[in-house]
Amino acid sequence: YEIPLRLVGSEMCIRYRVEAYQQAITLDANNPDFYYALGYCKANLEDYEGAASAYRRTTELRRNDVEAYLGMGVVLSRLGDYDGAIKAYQQVLVTNPNNAKLYESTGTAYLQQEQYEEALKMFQRAATLDPRSSTVQLNLGVALLNLGDVPSGMAALEQAAALEPKNGLIYLQIGDVYRAQNNLEQAQSSYEKAVAVQPNLKEAYLELGKLYLDEQDYLRAIVTYRKLVELQPTNPEAYFQLGVA
């Protein structure tokens, strides 16, 4: 689960909304809609602590508010409180056993804690409920790979790519697996596909450049690292690798 698309309007416009919602709460402190709207805005402003507080109050006033618990889990994860995020999701999993997004979000929090077996259970359930979700398949693949089941992990990643062929992150992950297997030709092909479908994917340029260097293809390495510098002008690693090339 990701924080919803940013509100239409400038940051200043969103801050005006925050002020309006806070005034509404001053006049009626028991309306859960006011707190949810406040949390939504604060999350968009990256005030994650304020958002968590607002979402928490929403759930106190409306105890089975799935969206509020999802929002709270996301902002707690952004704050690094993965245990808190998992607890937030679990609050509504019991009463919403067919909500794929809840299982996916819980699995993602487990992944962040490197609890791969628990993550796998969550992603398997999410995949059963929503077999067309590329992100579920991607995360399922990551969990399987971390548990040492490379064939099943790669199968999940390939399924993710089939479902969302324009997602460069999937090809980046596939490339990483091939590189770990020392299958450099397939790794290069995957990284090249990653930047082809997602030209701003910084991590793919870094890995692709390293492969070009290993092949002593310095011209393509230089072109690749120049693109990385363009995307990340304050990244010292990008300049270092450019210098090496």
Side-chain angles (χ1 to χ4, degrees):
Y1 180 80
E2 292 296 329
I3 290 173
L5 293 175
R6 288 192 174 275
L7 297 172
V8 176
S10 65
E11 179 178 323
M12 185 60 67
C13 178
I14 299 174
R15 292 190 184 280
Y16 284 138
R17 294 188 186 194
V18 167
E19 291 178 8
Y21 296 144
Q22 288 173 329
Q23 182 61 29
I25 289 169
T26 299
L27 296 170
D28 181 359
N30 294 310
N31 189 319
D33 292 333
F34 297 167
Y35 289 97
Y36 180 80
L38 179 62
Y40 182 97
C41 284
K42 283 184 174 288
N44 274 274
L45 292 170
E46 299 184 3
D47 177 4
Y48 299 132
E49 291 185 357
S53 177
Y55 284 137
R56 188 173 291 109
R57 182 57 179 154
T58 306
T59 62
E60 291 171 355
L61 295 168
R62 189 162 53 207
R63 295 191 177 279
N64 196 33
D65 191 319
V66 176
E67 293 301 318
Y69 278 108
L70 277 168
M72 182 161 61
V74 169
V75 296
L76 289 174
S77 291
R78 297 289 173 90
L79 291 167
D81 183 3
Y82 301 114
D83 283 333
I86 290 169
K87 289 177 182 177
Y89 299 138
Q90 290 176 335
Q91 286 291 323
V92 280
L93 267 175
V94 175
T95 53
N96 295 270
N98 297 316
N99 189 316
K101 188 60 69 176
L102 280 172
Y103 286 98
E104 180 185 355
S105 298
T106 307
T108 301
Y110 278 126
L111 267 188
Q112 295 289 343
Q113 293 187 309
E114 300 182 359
Q115 295 185 40
Y116 300 120
E117 290 185 0
E118 292 300 321
L120 178 61
K121 294 175 187 176
M122 295 294 108
F123 292 134
Q124 286 175 328
R125 178 60 177 158
T128 299
L129 294 169
D130 187 5
R132 302 292 300 171
S133 171
S134 62
T135 57
V136 169
Q137 290 296 327
L138 172 59
N139 286 321
L140 175 61
V142 171
L144 287 164
L145 290 168
N146 278 284
L147 288 169
D149 188 348
V150 176
S152 297
M154 281 294 284
L157 294 179
E158 295 290 353
Q159 177 65 12
L163 290 168
E164 192 178 359
K166 298 296 185 181
N167 187 336
L169 286 171
I170 299 170
Y171 299 110
L172 174 63
Q173 186 67 57
I174 292 172
D176 288 345
V177 176
Y178 280 128
R179 182 158 192 170
Q181 296 174 329
N182 206 35
N183 188 340
L184 302 184
E185 183 177 346
Q186 287 293 337
Q188 178 179 319
S189 176
S190 298
Y191 292 143
E192 287 174 341
K193 186 171 290 187
V195 298
V197 300
Q198 197 169 332
N200 63 343
L201 188 57
K202 300 177 286 291
E203 297 86 352
Y205 286 103
L206 183 62
E207 298 305 323
L208 183 58
K210 289 177 181 177
L211 283 183
Y212 289 149
L213 281 177
D214 290 343
E215 297 169 1
Q216 297 185 356
D217 189 343
Y218 300 117
L219 179 59
R220 285 205 287 181
I222 289 170
V223 171
T224 300
Y225 285 127
R226 280 179 175 168
K227 180 61 177 179
L228 182 58
V229 166
E230 179 184 325
L231 292 170
Q232 288 188 309
T234 60
N235 182 351
E237 178 70 11
Y239 288 98
F240 174 75
Q241 294 295 345
L242 179 60
V244 171

